Amino acid sequence: MNFASDNWAGAAPSVMAALARHSTGSAPAYGNDAVTQGVIQQFRDLFETDVAVFFTGTGTAANALALTAYAKPGGIVFCHPEAHIQVDECGAAEFMTGGSKLVSVGGQVNGKITAEGLTDALAALPEGSVMHGQAAAVSITQASEHGTVYSLDEIRAIKAVAQSRNLPLHMDGARFANALVSLDVSPAEMTWKAGVDVLSFGGTKNGCWCAEAVVFFNPEAARSFEYLRKRAGHEFSKARFVSAQLEGYFENGNWLQTARHANAMASKLSAGIAAAGGRMAWPTQANEVFAIIRKAQADVLRKSGAVFHPWPEHAIPQDLKPSEEELCIRLVASFATEGSEIERFLSLL
Amino acid sequence: MNFASDNWAGAAPSVMAALARHSTGSAPAYGNDAVTQGVIQQFRDLFETDVAVFFTGTGTAANALALTAYAKPGGIVFCHPEAHIQVDECGAAEFMTGGSKLVSVGGQVNGKITAEGLTDALAALPEGSVMHGQAAAVSITQASEHGTVYSLDEIRAIKAVAQSRNLPLHMDGARFANALVSLDVSPAEMTWKAGVDVLSFGGTKNGCWCAEAVVFFNPEAARSFEYLRKRAGHEFSKARFVSAQLEGYFENGNWLQTARHANAMASKLSAGIAAAGGRMAWPTQANEVFAIIRKAQADVLRKSGAVFHPWPEHAIPQDLKPSEEELCIRLVASFATEGSEIERFLSLL
Amino acid sequence: MNFASDNWAGAAPSVMAALARHSTGSAPAYGNDAVTQGVIQQFRDLFETDVAVFFTGTGTAANALALTAYAKPGGIVFCHPEAHIQVDECGAAEFMTGGSKLVSVGGQVNGKITAEGLTDALAALPEGSVMHGQAAAVSITQASEHGTVYSLDEIRAIKAVAQSRNLPLHMDGARFANALVSLDVSPAEMTWKAGVDVLSFGGTKNGCWCAEAVVFFNPEAARSFEYLRKRAGHEFSKARFVSAQLEGYFENGNWLQTARHANAMASKLSAGIAAAGGRMAWPTQANEVFAIIRKAQADVLRKSGAVFHPWPEHAIPQDLKPSEEELCIRLVASFATEGSEIERFLSLL
Amino acid sequence: MNFASDNWAGAAPSVMAALARHSTGSAPAYGNDAVTQGVIQQFRDLFETDVAVFFTGTGTAANALALTAYAKPGGIVFCHPEAHIQVDECGAAEFMTGGSKLVSVGGQVNGKITAEGLTDALAALPEGSVMHGQAAAVSITQASEHGTVYSLDEIRAIKAVAQSRNLPLHMDGARFANALVSLDVSPAEMTWKAGVDVLSFGGTKNGCWCAEAVVFFNPEAARSFEYLRKRAGHEFSKARFVSAQLEGYFENGNWLQTARHANAMASKLSAGIAAAGGRMAWPTQANEVFAIIRKAQADVLRKSGAVFHPWPEHAIPQDLKPSEEELCIRLVASFATEGSEIERFLSLL
């Protein structure tokens, strides 16, 4: 009954198998090996376009470096107030970009920023005012930090606003696969066809050990990226150990299966909790459940071995705020979550 | 016959086995797991003192972050003109530290800086001159970039000079194990007992996929290090994948065996080349051979499938410079190098 | 009738006179001259304690460098959402500190943050959470960006909250003199006696050309400051040109007189506008007036030669928001504002 | 007899007069005033082309910001080992650019880098090698740190080498006027016509209080410069105080006269010292004299009130090194140096 986070899981079997398969023999370092080149081609096939792809070992690195590729002096990145880049990455984006400011967009709905909120935020930033700095990018997280998923229309609407100020749209896809199978669309549809310029493609939470990719849909924007990555210490010498993970991740559609499994487990959890009288702080659309339950229930669960984190209340919508007897908890399902864990959890409620 | 670099090898069997062993089951993220805690304790045992240890995925990250922990505004780091941090890391140390200057120390001998050279370099930097900036650290590479090894006396002498200006001594130990078995001393003797303050402990080149550690011998100096690492995107969520590698690396003294093997292979290569009339640009003391051979020989070797890199001549001592018909090549042995490769190589000379 | 900003004025006569007086003759560069040393002593006398003082040419430099002296990796500075450092300095604090995050404190009253708001903001930042980064400083602006002044009690209350997390309190004193004469207290009382750790002391807006000072009340905290300033290009070679300005600024209490004059002019404006039916968005407590008047009035004033800026409405308290026919304007009085300008302005209302 | 530095002088009379002239009355802040606009036009006239001009208060700021406009990740700037940016600016260029490396060019002659030396330095930096970083700019100082002046041919030859790698040529013109009158050419000839892309135009050392300008000969390269300058705290609010200085500096060719005077004073000193048996470490071509005299002479001079600095010996050409009884001293003449000072100095030799 471990629902602490999808990063508490280890590696999926196909990922480990690929790593083992490529662990022997000599291969050029720094990405000039066949495995890496093959996986880069897979990204092109997957996204149905010519992309520039660069691997990193952490999502924080992927996000911060992606934003650095578009950084400007006095640059401002617009994002959700609870975006991972805003509150969970120790200022990595600010540091890596040389001091950008991350401005939270108001008027969010279901853990997502809205085109209207972004319009307002941009309106408060006069164009060409040196004092205020300059808008540099818009970043959204798909699936969001609250377990919800932007629809293609929502992404397009945000892009339209960003486009009006010539701003690139970054997608933090730490849970890209979970969002993709939730929407049941293609990677191309959820990204460049909807207006995404650069993607942090996450593999770690969905079955890799540490495999993330920065994907540029306009390869020209990536022209200095290799230097950005290297100077930040994010180029692996034995690069094939990341690409091997992704090879195993992609083979036989494994990544979509693990994501579907995690989402299904979350849905089951969510439905079961609702049936037991719990409320959802945000709808369950991917592999994260934000449930408001009674504190007494949480105690019983914990004593029985369930592992999960409480969730801070300040972000919960006003009409859903927990009462004194209640508590918001986050439950995350992963590729490794078993149905029996869910059943036991629900039976304890 | 692949002698291109020790980072062209994959992972040692014990490393892969440990990774596989820990790939299932749930464990706290961000280093709060038992494997990580166990490996940290191993570092304390290994170095016979209370150390603060932080894992990273690349040596460049380890070096840059270690120096950042000691960074000062207008700070100057003294190092060898061919130090990895100076010429092979794309300015990572400069970037991460917020703009330090890396000053090359003159008067090197056998690929190593000397106490005398350091004394001269420091003399050219007036203390307390705001215009000049301020000395911040001294960095040496053990084994050096030229395949040689600092003796304990040499380290102590360099430390004495550094100490006279209150400068910490950093050791880039990308090939720490190779130096250690070459000197046949203990980790403690080669580090803090000789005056090293902070070590970049390398596992990658000697059998890991990507496992490096920053080791502080004065834990107080590490008090902000977790933040430094995180803000640079170098904290792995599934941290146990690095510690698992190191667990496999250390078990049964595997790391010392792989290093001894690599060094022995390099010695064999070096002796064989010398026997065949080649000269060494620098003595072979670890797992790298810098041999000056005839261009004709190099051609034959390459055609027969040998893989190696030519080495730039500017760093080669004046009295050893290659003639028009000669060429300096670098040959690196690793844990995976086989005796038969050496024999074939030598037979082709 | 120029009320655009106090930085549209030139230099006060005593400032120009001092500059002229010291413009001939040789004097050591970089602050080792007698004028500079004399002014530093004046700061010590003025603040009745041993302070470390460093001059800069802009308030943005003073603020950014002061915060850099207290910067931490992943550091977070708490300030008002309309603080100059937050919205008017093009990310200088973020850049100079190596990527700090500036977090706006909620629950402001009259353009000032409150102890309660700061308590809440700090509560949302768990101590010791590497992901979230770490609190580094609290910054207030005295007089505030909305023309109001923190009382000594308010400063003390904010300090108490900051102190509970060991955070230094920075005061952006771009309009320090205006606040000082408004409260009618001593410089010591308004700063270190109330808990201020570091002050950006502004001279420019109140009669200097370009003379600001970073004042550390704990000189130990300034130990690297000379290097921070130099590496940012903020050390003047002919340093006496800044100190000469301040010499002229301080002599015969000139700085207090110019501030009193500017405040009195603002009061007169504010009272006159209120008498003519205007409302104040925030009370007039220093030399800035934020008046809500009818658009028709603003048109008449502009046509008659009055110069002033409209003020964005998003920061105005809900119950005071301008109607469709109204407009919020900012009027700033300076040492050079003349009573006759005010009278003409009011007569045009 | 003060020859310590040209920055020990105050302000030239025409500079002070212009400052006084513009010290009253209201004018738009941040450079939108008539004086600033007028001086910008003067720069265009002076350089006979469309330039983008930005004022700063220090030469360190001008240099660091100019190089930042051309910065690249992992970027390398090539310069003289004694360049001001390399040894006298506390790492400002490294800091401002986000961690560039400043690489000293070998094979200098008379305090100047040579096209040959630059060719060699570039040859050691493989193009497209991510590990090595990337060449970003070449910087020369005119007049040089050793009091010599690059001929137009020398500048052109350096530019040709830089051009071969598409590198911009930066000129640190802290003593621009002194070099200009020494060569007796036009500002256009000494800059863009010879291949200079960006110039740090110095006014401070030659009669201003603090007035420097970054001049881009390709205005497109300056498109983000206002943001770069602001985020570094280098935009003055009362901007006219810098432009007023430059107005006074330029009027009636005052700047050329002060430079000619300083150069003539230096020539007189140099000739007199040579006549008295002194040697010159480098030829006297602008307003700085580097003389090797007997220590006994230096003592007499100092006791008689002469002020000057000793110069470190490590940079002095081998065949000119001072003997045990000798000492190298630097003597700097300025606009304020008087002939009688020189005469007294020489008489004391």
Side-chain angles (χ1 to χ4, degrees):
Chain A
M1 292 195 298
N2 196 309
F3 305 112
S5 180
D6 32 11
N7 60 29
W8 284 43
S14 71
V15 167
M16 271 313 298
L19 257 183
R21 183 163 71 231
H22 294 297
S23 68
T24 57
S26 250
Y30 301 118
N32 299 309
D33 63 284
V35 182
T36 301
Q37 294 306 313
V39 172
I40 287 175
Q41 187 53 48
Q42 282 187 279
F43 270 91
R44 294 197 180 115
D45 296 344
L46 202 62
F47 284 98
E48 305 169 46
T49 189
D50 183 28
V51 293
V53 187
F54 303 88
F55 303 131
T56 68
T58 72
T60 295
N63 286 335
L65 288 167
L67 293 170
T68 303
Y70 288 100
K72 300 176 183 172
I76 295 172
V77 176
F78 294 88
C79 63
H80 191 278
E82 305 291 317
H84 208 263
I85 56 170
Q86 181 68 294
V87 294
D88 292 310
E89 302 188 349
C90 195
E94 289 92 337
F95 172 67
M96 205 72 88
T97 57
S100 293
K101 191 187 286 290
L102 270 57
V103 166
S104 297
V105 172
Q108 320 87 249
V109 173
N110 274 343
K112 300 177 284 186
I113 65 168
T114 61
E116 294 68 31
L118 180 58
T119 302
D120 290 349
L122 283 165
L125 180 70
E127 273 194 272
S129 161
V130 176
M131 295 179 77
H132 288 77
Q134 51 189 339
V138 175
S139 178
I140 58 174
T141 310
Q142 179 77 323
S144 84
E145 284 79 7
H146 292 145
T148 54
V149 175
Y150 286 88
S151 71
L152 298 192
D153 277 348
E154 288 170 333
I155 299 172
R156 282 185 209 113
I158 288 166
K159 171 64 174 189
V161 179
Q163 190 69 49
S164 71
R165 290 279 280 262
N166 291 315
L167 300 180
L169 180 58
H170 166 252
M171 178 180 278
D172 175 353
R175 293 188 179 92
F176 185 82
N178 301 287
L180 193 72
V181 300
S182 175
L183 288 182
D184 195 19
V185 298
S186 74
E189 287 169 325
M190 201 169 84
T191 56
W192 62 275
K193 289 188 174 174
V196 173
D197 294 282
V198 62
L199 167 69
S200 299
F201 177 94
T204 307
K205 289 183 197 287
N206 190 37
C208 293
W209 271 123
C210 72
E212 310 280 316
V214 182
V215 183
F216 288 89
F217 297 105
N218 171 8
E220 172 60 19
R223 66 188 176 287
S224 289
F225 196 84
E226 283 194 276
Y227 294 93
L228 289 176
R229 183 177 59 169
K230 181 78 183 181
R231 111 181 145 164
H234 283 291
E235 187 184 41
F236 293 103
S237 55
K238 297 182 176 176
R240 64 177 146 150
F241 100 94
V242 174
S243 22
Q245 292 177 59
L246 290 167
E247 187 185 277
Y249 186 66
F250 287 140
E251 74 188 352
N252 302 320
N254 177 66
W255 67 302
L256 301 175
Q257 292 168 38
T258 49
R260 277 192 202 104
H261 173 79
N263 286 9
M265 292 292 104
S267 288
K268 195 171 168 178
L269 256 178
S270 185
I273 294 170
R279 291 173 291 139
M280 295 303 128
W282 301 282
T284 303
Q285 298 174 343
N287 67 320
E288 293 190 286
V289 175
F290 294 83
I292 299 165
I293 60 172
R294 292 198 307 282
K295 286 176 178 171
Q297 290 177 304
D299 287 344
V300 169
L301 287 161
R302 280 211 186 89
K303 275 175 195 150
S304 308
V307 182
F308 52 81
H309 291 308
W311 202 250
E313 297 185 9
H314 66 264
I316 298 173
Q318 205 55 44
D319 56 331
L320 290 169
K321 291 273 187 213
S323 68
E324 291 268 311
E325 285 79 40
E326 291 175 325
L327 174 76
C328 183
I329 64 172
R330 183 183 76 154
L331 305 165
V332 192
S334 79
F335 71 91
T337 303
E338 295 181 21
S340 59
E341 294 180 274
I342 311 276
E343 282 149 28
R344 175 128 192 270
F345 185 94
L346 293 176
S347 73
L348 287 163
L349 266 187
Chain B
M1 291 195 297
N2 195 308
F3 305 110
S5 181
D6 32 12
N7 60 28
W8 284 43
S14 71
V15 167
M16 270 313 296
L19 257 182
R21 183 163 71 231
H22 293 297
S23 69
T24 55
S26 250
Y30 301 118
N32 299 308
D33 63 283
V35 182
T36 301
Q37 294 307 312
V39 172
I40 287 175
Q41 188 53 47
Q42 281 186 279
F43 270 91
R44 293 198 179 114
D45 295 344
L46 204 61
F47 284 97
E48 305 169 45
T49 187
D50 182 28
V51 293
V53 187
F54 303 87
F55 303 131
T56 69
T58 72
T60 295
N63 285 335
L65 288 167
L67 293 170
T68 303
Y70 288 99
K72 299 175 182 172
I76 295 173
V77 176
F78 294 88
C79 63
H80 190 278
E82 306 291 318
H84 209 263
I85 57 169
Q86 180 70 293
V87 295
D88 292 310
E89 302 189 349
C90 195
E94 288 92 337
F95 171 67
M96 205 73 88
T97 57
S100 293
K101 191 187 287 288
L102 270 58
V103 166
S104 296
V105 172
Q108 319 87 249
V109 173
N110 274 344
K112 300 177 283 185
I113 65 168
T114 61
E116 294 67 32
L118 180 59
T119 301
D120 289 350
L122 283 166
L125 179 71
E127 271 192 274
S129 161
V130 176
M131 296 179 76
H132 287 77
Q134 50 189 338
V138 175
S139 178
I140 58 175
T141 310
Q142 178 79 322
S144 85
E145 285 78 8
H146 291 144
T148 54
V149 175
Y150 286 89
S151 71
L152 298 192
D153 277 348
E154 288 171 333
I155 300 173
R156 283 185 209 114
I158 288 166
K159 171 65 175 189
V161 179
Q163 190 70 48
S164 71
R165 290 277 280 259
N166 290 315
L167 300 180
L169 179 59
H170 167 250
M171 177 180 278
D172 176 353
R175 294 188 179 93
F176 185 83
N178 302 285
L180 194 73
V181 300
S182 175
L183 288 183
D184 195 18
V185 296
S186 74
E189 285 169 328
M190 201 169 84
T191 56
W192 63 275
K193 288 187 175 175
V196 173
D197 295 283
V198 62
L199 166 70
S200 299
F201 177 94
T204 307
K205 289 182 196 288
N206 190 38
C208 293
W209 270 125
C210 72
E212 310 280 316
V214 182
V215 184
F216 289 89
F217 298 106
N218 171 7
E220 172 59 19
R223 65 188 177 288
S224 289
F225 195 84
E226 282 194 277
Y227 294 92
L228 289 176
R229 182 176 60 169
K230 181 78 182 179
R231 108 180 150 167
H234 283 291
E235 186 185 41
F236 293 104
S237 55
K238 296 182 176 177
R240 63 177 148 151
F241 99 95
V242 174
S243 20
Q245 292 177 59
L246 290 168
E247 187 185 277
Y249 186 65
F250 287 140
E251 73 188 353
N252 301 321
N254 177 65
W255 68 301
L256 300 176
Q257 291 169 39
T258 50
R260 277 193 203 103
H261 173 80
N263 285 10
M265 292 293 104
S267 287
K268 194 170 169 180
L269 256 178
S270 185
I273 293 169
R279 291 173 292 141
M280 296 302 129
W282 300 282
T284 304
Q285 297 174 343
N287 66 320
E288 293 190 285
V289 175
F290 294 83
I292 299 165
I293 60 173
R294 293 198 306 282
K295 285 177 178 170
Q297 290 176 302
D299 287 344
V300 169
L301 287 162
R302 279 213 188 86
K303 275 175 196 149
S304 308
V307 183
F308 51 81
H309 291 309
W311 201 250
E313 297 186 8
H314 66 264
I316 298 173
Q318 206 52 46
D319 56 331
L320 290 169
K321 291 275 188 211
S323 69
E324 292 270 311
E325 285 80 40
E326 290 175 324
L327 173 77
C328 183
I329 63 173
R330 183 183 74 154
L331 306 165
V332 192
S334 78
F335 71 91
T337 302
E338 295 180 20
S340 58
E341 293 180 275
I342 310 275
E343 282 149 28
R344 174 129 194 269
F345 185 95
L346 293 177
S347 73
L348 285 162
L349 266 188
Chain C
M1 290 195 296
N2 195 309
F3 305 110
S5 181
D6 31 12
N7 61 29
W8 284 42
S14 70
V15 167
M16 271 312 298
L19 257 182
R21 183 164 71 231
H22 293 298
S23 68
T24 55
S26 250
Y30 301 118
N32 299 309
D33 63 284
V35 183
T36 300
Q37 294 306 313
V39 172
I40 286 174
Q41 187 53 48
Q42 282 187 279
F43 270 91
R44 293 198 179 115
D45 296 345
L46 204 60
F47 284 97
E48 305 168 46
T49 188
D50 182 28
V51 293
V53 187
F54 304 87
F55 303 132
T56 68
T58 71
T60 294
N63 286 336
L65 288 168
L67 293 171
T68 303
Y70 289 99
K72 299 176 183 172
I76 294 172
V77 176
F78 294 88
C79 63
H80 191 278
E82 306 292 316
H84 209 263
I85 55 170
Q86 180 69 294
V87 295
D88 292 310
E89 302 188 350
C90 195
E94 287 93 339
F95 171 67
M96 206 72 88
T97 57
S100 292
K101 190 187 287 289
L102 270 58
V103 166
S104 297
V105 172
Q108 321 86 252
V109 174
N110 275 342
K112 299 178 284 186
I113 65 168
T114 60
E116 293 69 31
L118 179 59
T119 302
D120 290 349
L122 283 166
L125 180 70
E127 272 193 272
S129 161
V130 175
M131 296 179 77
H132 287 77
Q134 50 188 338
V138 175
S139 178
I140 58 175
T141 311
Q142 178 80 321
S144 84
E145 284 79 7
H146 292 145
T148 54
V149 175
Y150 286 88
S151 70
L152 299 191
D153 278 348
E154 288 170 333
I155 300 173
R156 282 185 209 115
I158 288 166
K159 172 63 175 190
V161 178
Q163 190 69 48
S164 71
R165 290 278 281 261
N166 291 314
L167 300 180
L169 179 59
H170 167 250
M171 177 180 277
D172 175 353
R175 294 188 179 92
F176 184 83
N178 301 286
L180 194 71
V181 300
S182 175
L183 289 183
D184 195 18
V185 296
S186 74
E189 286 170 326
M190 201 169 83
T191 55
W192 63 275
K193 288 187 175 175
V196 173
D197 294 282
V198 61
L199 166 70
S200 299
F201 178 94
T204 307
K205 289 182 196 287
N206 190 37
C208 292
W209 270 124
C210 72
E212 310 280 318
V214 182
V215 184
F216 289 89
F217 298 105
N218 171 9
E220 171 61 18
R223 67 187 177 286
S224 289
F225 195 84
E226 282 194 277
Y227 294 92
L228 289 176
R229 183 176 59 169
K230 181 77 181 182
R231 112 182 145 163
H234 283 291
E235 186 184 42
F236 293 104
S237 55
K238 297 182 176 176
R240 63 179 147 152
F241 100 94
V242 175
S243 22
Q245 292 178 60
L246 290 168
E247 186 184 278
Y249 186 66
F250 287 140
E251 74 188 352
N252 302 320
N254 176 66
W255 67 302
L256 301 176
Q257 291 170 39
T258 50
R260 277 192 202 103
H261 173 79
N263 286 9
M265 291 293 104
S267 288
K268 195 170 169 180
L269 256 177
S270 184
I273 292 169
R279 291 173 292 140
M280 296 302 129
W282 300 282
T284 304
Q285 297 175 342
N287 67 321
E288 293 190 284
V289 176
F290 294 83
I292 298 165
I293 61 174
R294 291 198 308 281
K295 285 177 178 170
Q297 290 176 303
D299 287 345
V300 169
L301 287 162
R302 281 213 186 86
K303 275 176 195 147
S304 309
V307 182
F308 51 82
H309 292 308
W311 202 249
E313 298 185 8
H314 66 264
I316 298 173
Q318 206 55 44
D319 57 330
L320 290 169
K321 291 275 187 210
S323 69
E324 291 269 310
E325 286 79 42
E326 292 176 323
L327 174 77
C328 183
I329 64 173
R330 184 183 76 155
L331 305 165
V332 193
S334 79
F335 72 90
T337 302
E338 294 181 21
S340 58
E341 294 179 274
I342 310 276
E343 282 148 28
R344 176 128 192 271
F345 185 95
L346 293 177
S347 74
L348 286 162
L349 266 186
Chain D
M1 290 194 298
N2 196 308
F3 306 111
S5 181
D6 32 12
N7 60 29
W8 284 43
S14 71
V15 168
M16 270 314 295
L19 257 183
R21 183 163 71 232
H22 294 298
S23 69
T24 56
S26 250
Y30 301 117
N32 299 309
D33 63 284
V35 183
T36 300
Q37 294 306 312
V39 173
I40 287 175
Q41 187 53 48
Q42 281 186 279
F43 271 91
R44 294 199 179 112
D45 296 344
L46 203 62
F47 285 98
E48 306 168 47
T49 188
D50 182 29
V51 293
V53 187
F54 303 87
F55 304 132
T56 67
T58 72
T60 295
N63 286 336
L65 288 168
L67 293 170
T68 303
Y70 290 99
K72 299 175 183 173
I76 295 172
V77 176
F78 294 88
C79 63
H80 191 279
E82 305 291 317
H84 208 263
I85 55 170
Q86 179 69 294
V87 294
D88 292 311
E89 302 187 351
C90 195
E94 287 93 338
F95 171 67
M96 206 71 90
T97 57
S100 293
K101 191 188 287 289
L102 271 58
V103 166
S104 297
V105 172
Q108 320 85 250
V109 174
N110 275 343
K112 301 177 283 186
I113 65 168
T114 61
E116 293 68 30
L118 180 59
T119 302
D120 290 349
L122 283 166
L125 180 70
E127 270 193 274
S129 161
V130 176
M131 295 179 77
H132 288 76
Q134 50 188 339
V138 175
S139 179
I140 58 176
T141 310
Q142 178 79 320
S144 84
E145 284 79 6
H146 292 144
T148 55
V149 175
Y150 286 89
S151 71
L152 298 192
D153 278 348
E154 287 171 333
I155 299 172
R156 282 184 210 114
I158 288 166
K159 171 65 175 189
V161 179
Q163 190 69 50
S164 71
R165 291 278 280 260
N166 291 313
L167 300 180
L169 180 57
H170 167 251
M171 178 180 277
D172 175 354
R175 293 187 178 92
F176 185 84
N178 302 287
L180 194 72
V181 300
S182 175
L183 289 183
D184 195 18
V185 297
S186 74
E189 286 169 326
M190 201 168 83
T191 55
W192 62 274
K193 288 186 176 175
V196 173
D197 295 282
V198 62
L199 166 69
S200 298
F201 178 94
T204 307
K205 290 181 196 287
N206 190 38
C208 293
W209 271 124
C210 72
E212 310 280 317
V214 182
V215 183
F216 289 90
F217 298 105
N218 171 9
E220 171 60 17
R223 67 189 176 287
S224 289
F225 196 84
E226 283 194 276
Y227 294 93
L228 289 176
R229 182 177 58 169
K230 182 76 181 181
R231 115 183 142 162
H234 283 291
E235 188 184 39
F236 293 104
S237 55
K238 297 183 175 176
R240 64 178 146 151
F241 100 95
V242 174
S243 22
Q245 291 177 59
L246 289 167
E247 187 185 277
Y249 186 66
F250 287 140
E251 75 188 353
N252 302 320
N254 177 66
W255 67 302
L256 300 175
Q257 292 168 39
T258 50
R260 276 192 204 104
H261 173 79
N263 286 8
M265 290 294 104
S267 288
K268 195 169 169 180
L269 256 178
S270 184
I273 293 169
R279 291 172 292 139
M280 296 303 130
W282 301 281
T284 303
Q285 298 175 344
N287 66 320
E288 293 189 285
V289 176
F290 294 82
I292 298 165
I293 61 174
R294 292 198 305 284
K295 285 176 178 171
Q297 291 177 303
D299 287 344
V300 169
L301 288 162
R302 281 213 187 87
K303 275 175 196 150
S304 309
V307 182
F308 51 82
H309 291 308
W311 201 249
E313 298 185 7
H314 65 264
I316 298 172
Q318 205 55 44
D319 57 329
L320 291 168
K321 292 275 187 210
S323 69
E324 292 268 310
E325 286 78 41
E326 292 176 322
L327 173 75
C328 182
I329 64 173
R330 183 183 77 153
L331 305 165
V332 192
S334 79
F335 72 91
T337 303
E338 294 180 22
S340 58
E341 293 179 275
I342 310 276
E343 282 148 28
R344 175 126 194 272
F345 185 96
L346 293 177
S347 73
L348 286 162
L349 265 186

